[in-house]
Each structure stands twice: as C-alpha cells, then as structure tokens.
Amino acid sequence: MSSSGWILAVCLVVLEGGRHAAWAEEGSGSERNCSAIPPYLPPTAVNTTLRLRDLRASMISLNISAYIIPATDAHLSEYIAPRDARLAWMSGFTGSAGTAVITQNKAVLWTDSRYWIQAERQIDCNWELQRDASTRSITNWLILEIPEGDAVGFDPFLFSVATFDVYNTNLAPAGRILKSIPDNLVDKIWTDRPPLPPDNPTRLPDSVIERTWPMKVEQIRAQISDNPYKPTAVLLSALDETAWLFNLRGNDIPFNPFFYSYTLLSMDEIWLFVHIERITEELKVYLNSSCYHSYCVQLLDYSSVRSYLQSYIQKLNVRVWVGTEYTNQALYELITPEDKLLTSTYSPVLTTKAVKDTTEQRILKEAHVRDAVAVMQLLLWLEKNVPEGKETELTAAHFVDQCRSKQKNSRGPSFETISASGPNAALAHYSPANETARKLSVNEMYLVDSGGQYLDGTTDITRTVHWGSPTDFQKEAYTRVLMGNIEISRTIFPSGTKGVNMEMLGRRALWEVGLNYGHGTGHGVGNYFGVHEWPVGFQSNNIPFQEGMFTSVEPGYYKENDFGIRIEDIVVTVPATTKYGNNYLTFETVSLVPYDRKLINTSLLSPEQLHWLNKYYETIQSVVGPELEKQGLTEEYDWMMKHTAPFLRAGASAVISSVTLLVTVLPSVFLHNLL
C-alpha cells in the first residue's frame, strides 16, 4: 500500500513509564492494542495523560489515595448534560454505565458487557479496563491497591444512597475510609467545562394537561397526610419529578426535556430550587411565586438546596420523606437524626406519575401514530436505497431524525439513534460515528432503535430488517425474538402483578434453543419526558403494573461479530376481559410499525401468536393508514399495506395469498382507477 493510503491521526507520547503510543492509521483496526510496540490507539481514543496528572496533583493536596468518578450527575440521571460528563472527559469513554477509579499510579474503568468493545475503542493506554460492573469488584480492587487507613475520595452528589452503603459496607471493615468531597475534583481541572445551557424552562400548553400543577400538589400532599409515619415534607431530587409536578419542561439534558432543579414540598409550603435567573416573569406568575400561601412556589437558588434542607431539618417535629432511588448521598446524609427521615424506594411523585391519566394516555398514543409514519418512511427509504450501496449507518440515523422532525409537535430525538449493521448490531447499545459507521448492505442484517420527543409524548421503537437472503439461523433467531415480544404483549395478568414475574415470557422461545440476551426486557416511557422512565418495567425493582402504565417490550438476540436482533414496542396496560375474574390487565401495543416479514418463520409461531400478529397488522392499517393518507404519503401507504398483509401458516417462511399479494403491491392510485 502506498504511503498516501495511510492517514496518521495523532502521535502521542505516554509520559508515564516512558511508553510511546502510535495513534490509529486508517484501516489499522478499531480497538486499542496496548501490548504492541509501540502501543496502537484507534482514532476514537482520547489522550488523557495531562488530565490524569492534574487530578492526581489535587488528590495529593487532599490526602486521598484514590478517587471515584461515576457516570452520573447530582440527580442520578441516566442521560446527563455535557457539563456533567466527568467520566467521559476524564477517560474518553462515553458509555452511559461505568465507574472510574484513579490512584497515583493507576487509572481503571469498570463497565458492563454492553460497553466492553466501545471502551477498547475510546480509552488510551493510561487506562485498564475491568470487565465487571459490580461495586464489589471495585471495592475489592481498592482494598488490594491502597493501604489500610488510607482514604478514598468521592463526590457525594454523584453517589446514590444505596451506592454509598455498598461502598462503605465493603471498605470500612477493611480499614479503607470513604471521604466525602462535595467540591468535585474533576470540575476543578476541567478548564473548558461546558456552561449551563442558556434555555429557560417552559410550561406545557393547556391542551396536553389534564391535571394542573396545584392539582398534582394536592395529590402528593394527600399521600403525605395519609402516610402512617407522618412525614411533614417530601424531597424531590430526580429531574423528572419537579418537571412533572409543575408541568414544566426544559432543555438542560440531551434528549430529555428537563431542567436542573430540586423541590421540597410540605403541607403548607413549596420550595423550588432552580437557577432563578432563568425563570421568566411569565413563569413566576404561573407559579404564584410572589406569594407565600400553600399553593405559592418559593423560588430558591439551585446551589442552596443543601443549606436550606439543613435548616429545615433543624426545625422541631419535622420528618422528610425521600425516595432513596434518586436521592444523592450529599442530601441524604444531612437528614439526621434518624427520626427525621422517612424512606421509600421511590417518592410518591414517581409512583403517581407512573400511571398516566386519560389525557396523557390519549396524546401518547397519538404521538406514536405520527412516529410510526416517520419510521415507515425510513424503512421504505432504506428498502429503495440500500441496494444502490451508498447509505451508511449514519445516513440512516440522520434520515429518521429528519422524518420525525417533520411530524406535528416534534421536539427532536428521545435518544441517540442506534443504527447498526452486521457485527455492529451485535453491540446492544452501539451508535454510529464517523470512524465506525458501516455501509449498509443487502447481505447484512440491520437494526435501528430510535425514538422521538413530541410535545404530547415520547417514543422508542426498534426494528430489525434484512434486505437480502437471511440465513435459516437468522430467521429462527428473529422469529423467536418476535415470539417473546408477542407472548408478553398478549398475556393477561392480575392487576398488581410485577413485571419481573412475567419477564421470562420474553425469553422462553429463545431459552428453548439455548439462546438469550443480556439486557432488560422493558422500561417505562413518559409523556414528553425520559425515554427510560422509572419505576415501570420488568426488572425486580420496578413497581407492580396498574392500568394506564406504559412500558417497552424489547427482547433480543446478539451473535458476537455477526449480527444483532431486537424488536421493541411500547405498550400500555389496559383492562382485560376474562371468563371468570375481574381486575385483570393486558397490554395494548401502541408502536405501530410492521415487522420484517422476510425474517419471520411462521412454522414456529403458535396459532395464538399468529392470530395476535394478524390482529396487530389490522390495527396498523386502521390507525396509521388514515394518518398516511392525511399526510399525502401514497408510496408509504402502499408499503404499509404490503407489509401488513395477513400471514398464512407455511412450512418455512411467512407468506401471503396470491390475491392479497396482488392487491397490496399494486399502487393505490391504480387500484383507485380500477374501482
């Protein structure tokens, strides 16, 4: 190869140990190789030498031997603002789950299997990767690495109550001391840390609100009053708690319409901790912030939450109710003595918010209809253009974003699109970048997991397709994933059943042939909120299902270095009619996009599953069809009708009758002329 075929991206000298690292030359590979001489680094890796040097200097001045950096913010959010991405800035690793520990001579990253390959592409040779996400693994490492009696520093704003307890329980008996340092050390050396976003919070329009914020305050106060342990106030720390309570939205967090805030709500006062300079006069009037009655919101500076909570705790006969899942250690440790604290896993706001009212249910369904139009536009566009060999994972991701942006009430994507072809799709949470994006091919499977934020709802949907000739194994794996999706979606269960008790329905068809997947089976979704909305879902710490809850159903299968399959729909819990019993529920699927019929082997489906599938396709035709016609999308309408034709049982593949096929593939204009 000529010298022009190689592009030297960066050359770096790793100061520690005198080692030299050669940065990636185009075509040299996508993962680091620190055992090579010189070590090989791909272009996606970040040089962290100077950052580690500066952090270690600050550690010496505080007399700590190790410093812990989690991948979260002060509200324990899943998605965080760029200014809170301390782990990413320090290490180069941008995955949503991970923990770094830095000592004077080592820097180590812990993350789970979803991100191992991503980490190897992003961290440089200053870092070790531990392929274990457990806190036990981190504390065992700390006990081995630092002497007894030494201190381990951490930012208490970035530790949940449970996280602190696990660290402390493991380290304290071994004589290693956890040292709380509220002033974050990374912030002190991060000279170009992104500023606070300039956007002000805004109120939701009345057209999408059934419960006004005073009505919601009344609901929560009723739960405070009814609680037998007699709390006097509830502390709200999760960003979606305050946003929900006041029917406000913001733009501080990527993909999530939240703003930095805390709320302390008592029976006769409301304190809202925000960046006051961003609250407009209109919002002050909306919140009645100029008065001091029980339905007037007192605005206090965001940074004063610790000092104000401490002063409230010092009053006589007060008890603060906190949801431990989203309360950070920095606030929790202030609530002493113990008789002034009341805990539950989730705050009353989160459990109340989980059940959508009739307006929220209606508008969230409406948002999914428009979202289905955008996804169908993507799938049709891919079907037409991929055979030409010009499209990539990135262009596909950009196209679906453009399609959503044209829909009514669009407010952007709800997360970074997972657009993955071939072996990239085997990474469950891969998102394309310029350095990693593959060209789409008719010879590979393609997985697209995407979602939109709309003024009336949040969406999240995954479809996996193949434009060529899938193998028998790919079709079987896909069909078994689909069977899991259908089995959960069609199940009938008593109201109050926990999702974890039915989660195996999503895996059973895979387990029968020795296949499985390593991620959760579903999560809650909000109304113009977070795409992963707790506490609804199928995990052990999710609350029981009630009517009006929305959750995803998303089984999958991933064959390393080959392909990935995931089928994800949003469903809502609705009453089920049974022969004998009452108070039973089932799921209604509100994601309305057909599955890839080329990948479905109907011989594996039970009659009940096949019936469910055909009924689902009838729903798509009757609900999305009119919206496609309303928007004048004739070609997309024809595509939808073709791909939602009824299935007949066949020996090895999903087929349709010749008459149905003729009708569905003929252009609608031609059919109209015939009629």
Side-chain angles (χ1 to χ4, degrees), residues 530-641:
V531 72
H532 296 157
E533 184 176 84
W534 288 79
V536 177
F538 294 92
Q539 298 188 43
S540 59
N541 57 348
N542 291 141
I543 61 176
F545 280 115
Q546 301 176 47
E547 180 183 350
M549 290 181 171
F550 285 76
T551 183
S552 71
V553 178
E554 50 180 301
Y557 171 71
Y558 310 89
K559 184 179 180 183
E560 189 173 355
N561 296 320
D562 194 348
F563 65 88
I565 298 166
R566 185 160 64 252
I567 299 173
E568 177 184 18
D569 292 313
I570 302 301
V571 300
V572 57
T573 50
V574 296
T577 301
T578 63
K579 185 176 181 180
Y580 299 111
N582 297 316
N583 202 28
Y584 280 74
L585 300 174
T586 189
F587 293 115
E588 174 190 334
T589 302
V590 300
S591 299
L592 299 171
V593 177
Y595 312 117
D596 188 354
R597 62 192 313 118
K598 181 181 291 187
L599 287 165
I600 301 174
N601 181 347
T602 55
S603 68
L604 296 175
L605 301 179
S606 69
E608 294 80 8
Q609 292 166 346
L610 195 62
H611 174 73
W612 184 96
L613 189 55
N614 283 331
K615 293 294 290 184
Y616 172 60
Y617 278 7
E618 290 176 9
T619 301
I620 293 176
Q621 292 179 0
S622 64
V623 176
V624 185
E627 182 67 26
L628 290 167
E629 291 180 311
K630 175 184 174 183
Q631 296 188 27
L633 299 172
T634 302
E635 191 176 9
E636 286 79 358
Y637 180 89
D638 294 336
W639 181 92
M640 181 272 296
M641 291 298 294

Side-chain angles (χ1 to χ4, degrees), residues 280-428:
T280 64
E281 290 303 317
E282 179 186 0
L283 283 185
K284 290 178 181 178
V285 172
Y286 168 72
L287 296 170
N288 301 326
S289 63
S290 61
C291 62
Y292 292 92
H293 301 303
S294 62
Y295 287 97
C296 301
V297 180
Q298 300 177 48
L299 299 177
L300 299 171
D301 189 75
Y302 174 79
S303 62
S304 69
V305 61
R306 240 173 91 96
S307 59
Y308 195 90
L309 178 62
Q310 198 162 23
S311 65
Y312 179 80
I313 290 298
Q314 292 172 356
K315 297 179 181 180
L316 295 175
N317 302 317
V318 298
R319 174 175 286 180
V320 178
W321 185 358
V322 302
T324 55
E325 193 73 17
Y326 287 100
T327 301
N328 62 53
Q329 179 65 20
L331 299 182
Y332 182 83
E333 65 188 14
L334 297 178
I335 308 175
T336 57
E338 189 172 327
D339 62 0
K340 294 199 172 186
L341 174 68
L342 173 65
T343 64
S344 58
T345 302
Y346 301 107
S347 78
V349 165
L350 282 183
T351 55
T352 303
K353 179 168 65 69
V355 179
K356 313 305 182 191
D357 61 37
T358 55
T359 297
E360 290 169 333
Q361 292 181 46
R362 174 180 55 81
I363 63 177
L364 189 47
K365 290 180 181 180
E366 292 172 354
H368 276 84
V369 174
R370 301 192 305 277
D371 195 74
V373 172
V375 178
M376 288 182 190
Q377 288 179 302
L378 168 71
L379 295 178
L380 170 61
W381 179 79
L382 290 171
E383 197 172 282
K384 291 167 56 179
N385 289 282
V386 168
E388 297 180 5
K390 298 179 181 179
E391 305 307 332
T392 69
E393 295 168 336
L394 268 179
T395 61
H398 293 157
F399 188 85
V400 74
D401 287 346
Q402 292 171 8
C403 292
R404 284 194 170 96
S405 70
K406 298 174 183 177
Q407 293 298 317
K408 177 184 174 183
N409 291 336
S410 174
R411 294 297 186 271
S414 57
F415 58 97
E416 186 176 7
T417 297
I418 297 171
S419 174
S421 178
N424 283 344
L427 309 174

Side-chain angles (χ1 to χ4, degrees), residues 394-469:
L394 268 179
T395 61
H398 293 157
F399 188 85
V400 74
D401 287 346
Q402 292 171 8
C403 292
R404 284 194 170 96
S405 70
K406 298 174 183 177
Q407 293 298 317
K408 177 184 174 183
N409 291 336
S410 174
R411 294 297 186 271
S414 57
F415 58 97
E416 186 176 7
T417 297
I418 297 171
S419 174
S421 178
N424 283 344
L427 309 174
H429 292 79
Y430 164 88
S431 291
N434 289 326
E435 301 87 355
T436 62
R438 294 172 60 85
K439 184 174 289 187
L440 303 185
S441 166
V442 296
N443 299 316
E444 292 183 335
M445 297 185 77
Y446 171 70
L447 184 156
V448 55
D449 183 350
S450 65
Q453 290 286 11
Y454 302 89
L455 190 60
D456 46 355
T458 302
T459 68
D460 183 6
I461 183 171
T462 306
R463 290 294 181 263
T464 305
V465 297
H466 198 302
W467 303 287
S469 300

Side-chain angles (χ1 to χ4, degrees), residues 500-511:
V500 68
N501 294 329
M502 63 180 89
E503 195 262 0
M504 68 163 290
L505 294 174
R507 300 179 186 268
R508 184 170 59 185
L510 291 163
W511 286 354

